[in-house]
Short mmCIF file of all heavy atoms in Angstrom, two decimals:
data_model
loop_
_atom_site.label_atom_id
_atom_site.label_comp_id
_atom_site.label_asym_id
_atom_site.label_seq_id
_atom_site.Cartn_x
_atom_site.Cartn_y
_atom_site.Cartn_z
N ALA J 77 -7.77 23.24 2.33
CA ALA J 77 -6.83 22.53 3.28
C ALA J 77 -5.41 22.40 2.71
O ALA J 77 -4.43 22.38 3.45
CB ALA J 77 -7.33 21.15 3.53
N GLY J 78 -5.18 22.35 1.39
CA GLY J 78 -3.82 22.33 0.78
C GLY J 78 -3.37 23.63 0.54
O GLY J 78 -4.07 24.59 0.13
N VAL J 79 -2.11 23.99 0.85
CA VAL J 79 -1.58 25.38 0.71
C VAL J 79 -0.46 25.47 -0.36
O VAL J 79 0.23 26.48 -0.32
CB VAL J 79 -1.08 25.82 2.16
CG1 VAL J 79 -2.26 26.03 3.01
CG2 VAL J 79 -0.04 24.94 2.77
N GLU J 80 -0.32 24.48 -1.14
CA GLU J 80 0.72 24.66 -2.10
C GLU J 80 0.60 25.70 -3.07
O GLU J 80 1.49 26.24 -3.58
CB GLU J 80 0.87 23.29 -2.96
CG GLU J 80 -0.16 22.92 -4.06
CD GLU J 80 -1.48 22.54 -3.44
OE1 GLU J 80 -1.60 22.25 -2.16
OE2 GLU J 80 -2.42 22.51 -4.22
N ARG J 96 -4.55 27.60 7.51
CA ARG J 96 -5.37 26.82 6.50
C ARG J 96 -6.68 26.35 7.05
O ARG J 96 -6.69 25.93 8.34
CB ARG J 96 -4.65 25.70 6.04
CG ARG J 96 -4.33 24.64 6.91
CD ARG J 96 -3.43 23.50 6.47
NE ARG J 96 -3.52 22.44 7.40
CZ ARG J 96 -4.02 21.29 7.23
NH1 ARG J 96 -4.59 21.05 6.23
NH2 ARG J 96 -4.08 20.36 8.19
N THR J 98 -9.45 24.26 8.29
CA THR J 98 -9.66 22.74 8.61
C THR J 98 -11.08 22.62 9.19
O THR J 98 -11.53 23.62 9.85
CB THR J 98 -8.67 22.26 9.70
OG1 THR J 98 -8.77 22.94 10.83
CG2 THR J 98 -7.14 22.24 9.14
N LEU J 102 -15.40 18.60 6.46
CA LEU J 102 -14.58 18.39 5.33
C LEU J 102 -13.75 16.93 5.42
O LEU J 102 -13.80 16.20 4.46
CB LEU J 102 -13.49 19.46 5.14
CG LEU J 102 -12.45 19.40 3.89
CD1 LEU J 102 -13.23 19.63 2.65
CD2 LEU J 102 -11.34 20.29 4.06
N MET J 106 -14.29 13.63 3.03
CA MET J 106 -13.08 12.81 2.44
C MET J 106 -13.14 11.41 2.83
O MET J 106 -12.93 10.58 2.08
CB MET J 106 -11.88 13.62 2.87
CG MET J 106 -11.60 14.95 2.48
SD MET J 106 -11.16 15.17 0.76
CE MET J 106 -9.36 14.84 0.88
N GLY J 151 -0.51 9.54 4.41
CA GLY J 151 -0.76 10.89 5.11
C GLY J 151 -1.77 10.60 6.17
O GLY J 151 -2.89 10.23 5.88
N LEU J 152 -1.33 10.70 7.42
CA LEU J 152 -2.30 10.42 8.58
C LEU J 152 -2.45 11.75 9.34
O LEU J 152 -2.32 11.76 10.60
CB LEU J 152 -1.70 9.27 9.55
CG LEU J 152 -1.88 7.84 9.14
CD1 LEU J 152 -1.30 6.98 10.21
CD2 LEU J 152 -3.47 7.58 9.00
N GLY J 153 -2.88 12.69 8.74
CA GLY J 153 -3.05 14.07 9.21
C GLY J 153 -4.51 14.29 9.59
O GLY J 153 -5.26 13.27 9.92
N GLU J 154 -5.01 15.56 9.66
CA GLU J 154 -6.37 15.81 9.95
C GLU J 154 -7.37 15.04 9.21
O GLU J 154 -8.26 14.52 9.81
CB GLU J 154 -6.68 17.32 9.52
CG GLU J 154 -5.90 18.36 10.33
CD GLU J 154 -6.59 18.75 11.65
OE1 GLU J 154 -7.82 18.38 11.68
OE2 GLU J 154 -5.80 19.14 12.49
N ILE J 155 -7.05 14.71 7.97
CA ILE J 155 -8.12 14.04 6.98
C ILE J 155 -7.66 12.55 7.04
O ILE J 155 -8.58 11.73 7.27
CB ILE J 155 -8.04 14.69 5.68
CG1 ILE J 155 -8.48 16.03 5.72
CG2 ILE J 155 -8.97 13.94 4.74
CD1 ILE J 155 -8.45 16.91 4.45
N GLY J 156 -6.47 12.22 6.74
CA GLY J 156 -6.05 10.89 6.59
C GLY J 156 -6.28 10.04 7.87
O GLY J 156 -6.73 8.93 7.87
N TRP J 173 0.76 5.84 6.64
CA TRP J 173 2.18 6.21 6.40
C TRP J 173 2.26 7.82 6.62
O TRP J 173 1.41 8.51 6.06
CB TRP J 173 2.61 5.93 5.09
CG TRP J 173 4.16 6.13 4.83
CD1 TRP J 173 5.20 5.52 5.39
CD2 TRP J 173 4.56 7.16 3.86
NE1 TRP J 173 6.29 6.07 4.90
CE2 TRP J 173 6.05 7.19 3.93
CE3 TRP J 173 4.09 8.04 2.95
CZ2 TRP J 173 6.86 7.88 3.25
CZ3 TRP J 173 4.86 8.84 2.27
CH2 TRP J 173 6.22 8.80 2.40
N SER J 174 3.10 8.14 7.58
CA SER J 174 3.38 9.60 7.69
C SER J 174 4.81 9.87 7.94
O SER J 174 5.62 8.93 8.06
CB SER J 174 2.40 10.03 8.86
OG SER J 174 2.58 9.15 9.92
N LYS J 175 5.12 11.13 8.40
CA LYS J 175 6.43 11.38 8.67
C LYS J 175 6.86 10.99 9.94
O LYS J 175 7.91 10.17 10.26
CB LYS J 175 6.83 12.86 8.58
CG LYS J 175 7.14 13.35 7.17
CD LYS J 175 7.63 14.69 7.28
CE LYS J 175 8.18 15.17 5.94
NZ LYS J 175 8.56 16.61 5.93
N ALA J 176 6.03 11.20 11.02
CA ALA J 176 6.30 10.79 12.39
C ALA J 176 5.24 9.61 12.66
O ALA J 176 4.13 9.52 12.00
CB ALA J 176 5.98 11.98 13.19
N LYS J 178 2.39 7.53 14.29
CA LYS J 178 1.08 7.84 14.94
C LYS J 178 0.40 6.75 15.69
O LYS J 178 0.79 5.57 15.48
CB LYS J 178 0.04 8.27 13.71
CG LYS J 178 0.61 9.18 12.78
CD LYS J 178 0.45 10.67 13.28
CE LYS J 178 1.41 11.58 12.38
NZ LYS J 178 1.48 12.93 12.88
N VAL J 205 -3.52 10.88 0.83
CA VAL J 205 -4.08 12.03 1.43
C VAL J 205 -3.02 12.92 1.82
O VAL J 205 -3.03 13.46 2.94
CB VAL J 205 -5.01 11.79 2.58
CG1 VAL J 205 -5.97 12.88 2.80
CG2 VAL J 205 -5.67 10.45 2.47
N LEU J 206 -1.86 13.02 1.10
CA LEU J 206 -0.70 13.73 1.39
C LEU J 206 -0.82 15.28 0.93
O LEU J 206 -1.39 15.45 -0.20
CB LEU J 206 0.61 13.11 0.74
CG LEU J 206 1.03 11.84 1.49
CD1 LEU J 206 2.00 11.14 0.36
CD2 LEU J 206 1.64 12.01 2.68
N PRO J 207 0.00 16.28 1.51
CA PRO J 207 -0.03 17.53 0.98
C PRO J 207 0.96 17.55 -0.19
O PRO J 207 1.80 16.54 -0.19
CB PRO J 207 0.49 18.35 2.10
CG PRO J 207 1.21 17.37 2.97
CD PRO J 207 0.59 16.01 2.83
N GLN J 208 0.86 18.47 -1.09
CA GLN J 208 1.88 18.67 -2.11
C GLN J 208 3.03 19.42 -1.48
O GLN J 208 2.89 20.54 -1.00
CB GLN J 208 1.38 19.47 -3.36
CG GLN J 208 2.41 19.69 -4.34
CD GLN J 208 1.99 20.60 -5.46
OE1 GLN J 208 0.88 20.41 -5.97
NE2 GLN J 208 2.83 21.56 -5.80
N THR J 209 4.20 18.81 -1.46
CA THR J 209 5.40 19.43 -1.04
C THR J 209 6.59 18.94 -1.98
O THR J 209 6.34 17.95 -2.78
CB THR J 209 5.93 18.88 0.31
OG1 THR J 209 6.15 17.64 0.40
CG2 THR J 209 4.73 19.28 1.44
N GLU J 211 8.86 17.01 -1.40
CA GLU J 211 9.15 15.58 -1.09
C GLU J 211 7.97 14.68 -1.58
O GLU J 211 8.21 13.47 -1.87
CB GLU J 211 9.07 15.34 0.43
CG GLU J 211 10.39 15.95 1.05
CD GLU J 211 10.34 15.89 2.60
OE1 GLU J 211 9.24 15.48 3.19
OE2 GLU J 211 11.35 16.05 3.24
N THR J 212 6.77 15.25 -1.79
CA THR J 212 5.71 14.28 -2.41
C THR J 212 5.42 14.33 -3.80
O THR J 212 4.75 13.51 -4.39
CB THR J 212 4.41 14.58 -1.58
OG1 THR J 212 4.01 15.80 -1.84
CG2 THR J 212 4.48 14.42 -0.03
N VAL J 233 -6.85 11.35 -3.45
CA VAL J 233 -7.53 12.50 -3.05
C VAL J 233 -6.72 13.59 -2.57
O VAL J 233 -7.12 14.49 -1.97
CB VAL J 233 -8.66 12.23 -1.99
CG1 VAL J 233 -9.76 11.30 -2.60
CG2 VAL J 233 -8.03 11.48 -0.76
N ALA J 234 -5.30 13.49 -2.93
CA ALA J 234 -4.45 14.44 -2.30
C ALA J 234 -4.25 15.50 -3.39
O ALA J 234 -4.97 16.58 -3.38
CB ALA J 234 -3.01 13.68 -2.05
N ARG J 235 -3.21 15.43 -4.28
CA ARG J 235 -2.94 16.37 -5.30
C ARG J 235 -2.46 15.64 -6.50
O ARG J 235 -1.67 14.56 -6.36
CB ARG J 235 -1.92 17.41 -4.82
CG ARG J 235 -2.33 18.38 -3.89
CD ARG J 235 -3.43 19.39 -4.56
NE ARG J 235 -3.93 20.41 -3.61
CZ ARG J 235 -5.12 20.31 -3.00
NH1 ARG J 235 -5.81 19.35 -3.15
NH2 ARG J 235 -5.47 21.35 -2.13
N ASP J 259 -9.39 11.75 -8.11
CA ASP J 259 -10.09 13.02 -7.86
C ASP J 259 -9.32 14.18 -8.08
O ASP J 259 -9.95 15.31 -8.15
CB ASP J 259 -10.60 12.99 -6.31
CG ASP J 259 -11.48 14.20 -6.06
OD1 ASP J 259 -12.55 14.14 -6.82
OD2 ASP J 259 -11.31 14.90 -5.10
N VAL J 260 -8.05 14.11 -8.20
CA VAL J 260 -7.17 15.24 -8.34
C VAL J 260 -6.15 14.95 -9.46
O VAL J 260 -5.73 13.80 -9.72
CB VAL J 260 -6.44 15.69 -7.01
CG1 VAL J 260 -7.50 16.20 -6.12
CG2 VAL J 260 -5.82 14.37 -6.45
N HIS J 283 -12.45 16.64 -8.57
CA HIS J 283 -11.94 17.27 -7.41
C HIS J 283 -13.21 17.61 -6.47
O HIS J 283 -13.35 18.81 -6.01
CB HIS J 283 -11.23 18.56 -7.67
CG HIS J 283 -10.21 18.96 -6.56
ND1 HIS J 283 -9.09 19.64 -6.75
CD2 HIS J 283 -10.40 18.88 -5.17
CE1 HIS J 283 -8.34 19.76 -5.55
NE2 HIS J 283 -9.27 19.37 -4.66
N VAL J 284 -13.85 16.59 -6.11
CA VAL J 284 -15.04 16.80 -5.25
C VAL J 284 -15.02 15.92 -4.01
O VAL J 284 -16.03 15.75 -3.24
CB VAL J 284 -16.23 16.40 -6.02
CG1 VAL J 284 -16.71 17.48 -7.06
CG2 VAL J 284 -16.25 15.00 -6.60
N ALA J 285 -13.86 15.35 -3.67
CA ALA J 285 -13.87 14.41 -2.44
C ALA J 285 -14.19 15.11 -1.26
O ALA J 285 -14.94 14.67 -0.37
CB ALA J 285 -12.43 13.79 -2.34
N GLY J 286 -13.77 16.34 -1.17
CA GLY J 286 -14.25 17.30 -0.13
C GLY J 286 -14.22 18.67 -0.48
O GLY J 286 -13.29 19.18 -1.08
N ILE J 287 -15.40 19.28 -0.40
CA ILE J 287 -15.54 20.67 -0.93
C ILE J 287 -15.72 21.63 0.28
O ILE J 287 -16.55 21.29 1.05
CB ILE J 287 -16.65 20.73 -1.94
CG1 ILE J 287 -16.34 19.94 -3.24
CG2 ILE J 287 -16.87 22.24 -2.36
CD1 ILE J 287 -17.33 19.89 -4.21
N ARG J 318 8.31 23.26 6.58
CA ARG J 318 8.01 21.94 6.11
C ARG J 318 7.06 21.79 4.92
O ARG J 318 6.98 20.83 4.30
CB ARG J 318 7.62 21.03 7.36
CG ARG J 318 6.23 21.26 7.78
CD ARG J 318 5.78 20.40 8.96
NE ARG J 318 4.43 20.68 9.12
CZ ARG J 318 3.57 19.98 9.90
NH1 ARG J 318 4.01 18.93 10.63
NH2 ARG J 318 2.36 20.32 10.05
N TYR J 320 3.40 22.31 4.96
CA TYR J 320 2.20 21.92 5.08
C TYR J 320 1.73 22.14 6.65
O TYR J 320 2.53 22.56 7.33
CB TYR J 320 1.92 20.37 4.81
CG TYR J 320 2.62 19.48 5.62
CD1 TYR J 320 2.13 18.73 6.70
CD2 TYR J 320 3.91 19.14 5.30
CE1 TYR J 320 2.77 17.82 7.41
CE2 TYR J 320 4.68 18.12 5.96
CZ TYR J 320 4.03 17.58 7.09
OH TYR J 320 4.74 16.65 7.86
P1 NDP U 9 -2.31 17.47 7.24
O1 NDP U 9 -1.34 18.52 7.14
O2 NDP U 9 -3.20 17.50 8.49
O3 NDP U 9 -1.67 16.07 7.17
C1 NDP U 9 -0.61 15.73 6.27
C2 NDP U 9 -0.15 14.33 6.52
O4 NDP U 9 0.73 13.94 5.45
C3 NDP U 9 0.56 14.21 7.79
O5 NDP U 9 0.27 13.03 8.45
C4 NDP U 9 2.12 14.23 7.49
O6 NDP U 9 2.89 13.49 8.40
C5 NDP U 9 2.04 13.48 6.14
N1 NDP U 9 3.16 13.78 5.33
C6 NDP U 9 3.41 15.07 4.70
N2 NDP U 9 4.61 14.97 4.12
C7 NDP U 9 5.03 13.66 4.27
C8 NDP U 9 6.06 12.92 3.67
N3 NDP U 9 7.13 13.51 2.88
N4 NDP U 9 6.32 11.61 4.08
C9 NDP U 9 5.32 10.94 4.77
N5 NDP U 9 4.20 11.61 5.28
C10 NDP U 9 4.10 12.98 4.96
O7 NDP U 9 -3.22 17.69 5.98
P2 NDP U 9 -4.76 17.28 5.65
O8 NDP U 9 -4.96 15.87 6.27
O9 NDP U 9 -5.58 18.39 6.27
O10 NDP U 9 -4.86 17.31 4.29
C11 NDP U 9 -4.02 16.46 3.35
C12 NDP U 9 -4.18 16.88 1.83
O11 NDP U 9 -5.35 16.55 1.38
C13 NDP U 9 -4.15 18.49 1.60
O12 NDP U 9 -2.81 18.98 1.69
C14 NDP U 9 -4.77 18.45 0.22
O13 NDP U 9 -3.68 18.44 -0.72
C15 NDP U 9 -5.68 17.35 0.16
N6 NDP U 9 -7.07 17.71 0.10
C16 NDP U 9 -7.85 17.23 -1.02
C17 NDP U 9 -9.13 17.62 -1.03
C18 NDP U 9 -10.01 17.06 -2.10
O14 NDP U 9 -11.21 17.44 -2.37
N7 NDP U 9 -9.51 16.15 -2.97
C19 NDP U 9 -9.87 18.34 -0.08
C20 NDP U 9 -8.95 18.70 1.20
C21 NDP U 9 -7.78 18.37 1.14
P3 NDP U 9 3.17 14.02 9.82
O15 NDP U 9 1.82 14.03 10.58
O16 NDP U 9 4.05 13.05 10.47
O17 NDP U 9 3.71 15.50 9.76
#
Side-chain angles (χ1 to χ4, degrees):
V79 290
E80 75 285 350
R96 70 186 186 109
T98 59
L102 179 72
M106 299 281 282
L152 276 182
E154 292 278 338
I155 298 171
W173 183 69
S174 44
K175 270 195 181 171
K178 306 282 166 182
V205 206
L206 290 164
Q208 176 184 316
T209 68
E211 289 171 347
T212 62
V233 291
R235 287 292 182 259
D259 185 53
V260 286
H283 201 144
V284 290
I287 296 181
R318 73 176 187 174
Y320 62 97

